[in-house]
Amino acid sequence: MSMNGQTKQFDKAAFKAAVEKHLSTTYANTAETATTRSWYLAMGRALAEISTGNLLATEQKLAAEKARSVNYLSLEFLIGRLTGNNLISMGLYENVAAAMEELGQNLTDLLEEERDPALGNGGLGRLAACFMDSLAAQEYPAVGYGLHYEYGLFRQSFVDGRQVEAPDAWRGLEGYPWEVMRPELAQTVSLYGHVEAYTDEHGNACRRWVPGMTVEGVAWDLPIVGYDNQSVYPLRLWECRSSAPFNLARFNDGDYVGAQYPALEAGNVTKVLYPNDNHDQGKALRLMQQYFHCACSVADILRRHIGAGNTIEELSKLETIQLNDTHPTIAIPELMRILIDEFKLGWDAAWAISSKTFAYTNHTLLPEALETWSEALIAQMLPRHMEIIFEINHRFMTLVEKTWPGNNEVKRKLSIIQEGPQRMVRMANLCVVSTYAVNGVAALHSELVKRDLFPEFNELFPGRLTNVTNGVTPRRWIKYCNPGLSALISEKVGEDWPLKLEKVADLTKFADDEAFQKRYMAVKQENKQRLADWVKENMDIDLDTNAIFDIQIKRLHEYKRQHLNLLHILSLYHRLINDPTFDMHPRVFFFGAKAAPGYALAKDIIFAINQVAAKVNNDPRLKGKLKVVFIPDYRVSLAEILFPAADVSEQISTAGKEASGTGNMKFAMNGALTIGTMDGANVEMREEVGDDNIFIFGLLVDEVQKLKQEGYDPYRYYHADSLLRAALDVLETDEFTPGYPGQLAAIRHNLLDGGDPYLVLADFADYVKTHEKIDAEYRDQKTWARKAILNTALMSKFSSDRSIRDYANNIWKLEPVSR
Ligand code: NBX
């Protein structure tokens, strides 16, 4: 029986035969000699056969019904391992465990063989993965479009405390068992060349792109399996290959290696994921990735649309395209080019379709993350697109002139083209002008998008700027990663909460029930033990699971303020050693974070935390009260162990800088209490759980802005607070770098003489005080359990199912279609 009561056909004998067949014919192994890895691969292929069948069936049904679909365009999908999650969605976990047992294999061990597909950097990429899961779970017709990077986000290790990056060949030698190549969907993509004018057969003056070269886009589909519903949607990833692997003339001239240069160059386009988050680098190869992604995806959308017998005029009725940040913005001029140059529509007809097809999500206000591309670079690589961007801007400037006559300042500010020594194209402006909806990712963020980032656009296009608060999938982030808690929830509220997270609110009834509190905390204890075991096995550090597990896991960035966390740790260290009256409940501070390889200060912060960890973890004076653990190579599969094990969740960005956050939601669902600023979705989490069940500290957005305007002086805080002084000054010494004083000084220097751009010092005192409150409250385990239970119970707003329904109802106007 499946979860919804339908009988599911699982033929165990046939499944075992399929696994054995793959073991021998796909992986050339025998049951006697096969490694665990080969068994995992063979099982994966056998499962993929089932999901691929369902994918084709879903595709056919949607084409036949002419259902309106969303196309989610993203340069990143941080999906994490698929096998365990898909087994749960297919309702086959127990069945397959039993089948594999009969083949002498343990399912848990097999699942550990899978490498995380890390095709994203952080929150933005992970959000795309949660959204695909929620689209499939609720059967909203959807295709995800991304890139098939050969190397995902780099693997991180620490050498003498410093981050070292290594390439992430996520597919391994054998390929990834869940992916299926779709050779018939291949696309040809043009690059470079020039634009020429010509007169068509009706005597119209036309323009067309004469490309300088082409490359091939090969489609790979990963199955996004709907939870308990048999629907499977494609995550379609494009791999770039050379169109002309051999230059025959050079080949015949005997230059065998040189003849393959085009293949080598085209092979670079999807070679590797750019490892920056919230930072724009402006590299030509990145623009080529973006255009390659957009050209393949738009062409595939049109292939499906026209192939199903629809007219081009019906495009915006049947398809909508969601741009995940500005990274796929070049899809807009690409669609305009196709409509005008290939379908021969006039500008107005093309614009009427395109501007009703695209919608854009903004994920950041940080100026250094807002993408701009040099006009010269676009003109060289995509000459026809640059013409179209100019035309969009020209018409838009006419509108601005009509609205604010003679106001050149507002024109300069809103223009898609930024004037200067080198003219730049502002991708966010192009998006706001050319889409029917623009959304921020949390209520506060969306207000700031309207108030601070795009106030004039908001006047010009009333109603276009809107909010959809982020969410996370409860299937991966509760059911799969926290089986103990899931069983407890199911027992109290029934089995259907993974699709209806509102049901979990019923747990509030048990928040004061002491027997339930004990069971809830026992689950937490087991999860802490699971993490402690991982740390012992992989890092050889002994941890006490009675300590408070305090966790900060996210990309390393100044605005996220891992260094505020570090200063607090240094203050505890200082007090434990110097103040005999000071007492604290034992605490373990966990970090997990990758720094962009070129981000020097972020790397210095990692080094500092590792050096502090090395010292405090072995300092007998601390009597085991303080431990610091920096988990190397933080990734989705480690997040699945960390979130369930947390007592305290660190969400401590400078107010106004973190657009939403999504880790904050995963922690709270799994019963961690948040220490956080009034930033991003923390604000809405506080509304849901109530002020007593979250620890809020620090300056508010408006206080941050005011302080900066008045002239912020970090030294004021330094001189006024001896604890802060101690924490900062120890960074100048060799306390944590014996024999090498000054190795950690860059952080102190940035905070004092560098102006402390993210107001770490201004928030320090309140942060310390709030941690003291946490320390006191944790000692009362009943009250703590009550608060943790309420956090689990009151997080239903942050299911990505709700986010997707908001998009579907308020932006996309999309209806579910069941199989
Ligand atoms: O998107 C993140 C925000 O920082 C989070 O607050 C938010 O919760 C999340 C989902 O909405 N942004 C993010 O992860 N950005 C990137 O990863 C990024 C990657 C490449 C790039 C710019 C930003 N060029």
Side-chain angles (χ1 to χ4, degrees), residues 69-81:
S69 309
V70 61
N71 300 278
Y72 199 84
L73 263 61
S74 179
L75 272 281
E76 307 190 7
F77 288 88
L78 217 186
I79 53 178
R81 292 170 172 171

Side-chain angles (χ1 to χ4, degrees), residues 214-249:
T214 62
V215 294
E216 299 302 311
V218 176
W220 294 88
D221 281 359
L222 288 176
I224 306 296
V225 177
Y227 182 78
D228 194 24
N229 65 20
Q230 311 272 315
S231 281
V232 176
Y233 297 123
L235 172 54
R236 188 155 291 159
L237 304 178
W238 298 103
E239 179 193 346
C240 189
R241 299 205 179 167
S242 170
S243 293
F246 288 93
N247 177 322
L248 277 181

Side-chain angles (χ1 to χ4, degrees), residues 787-803:
K787 291 180 187 216
I789 293 166
L790 289 175
N791 269 266
T792 298
L794 297 173
M795 279 297 117
S796 73
K797 175 175 178 185
F798 306 103
S799 165
S800 45
D801 294 350
R802 189 273 314 146
S803 307

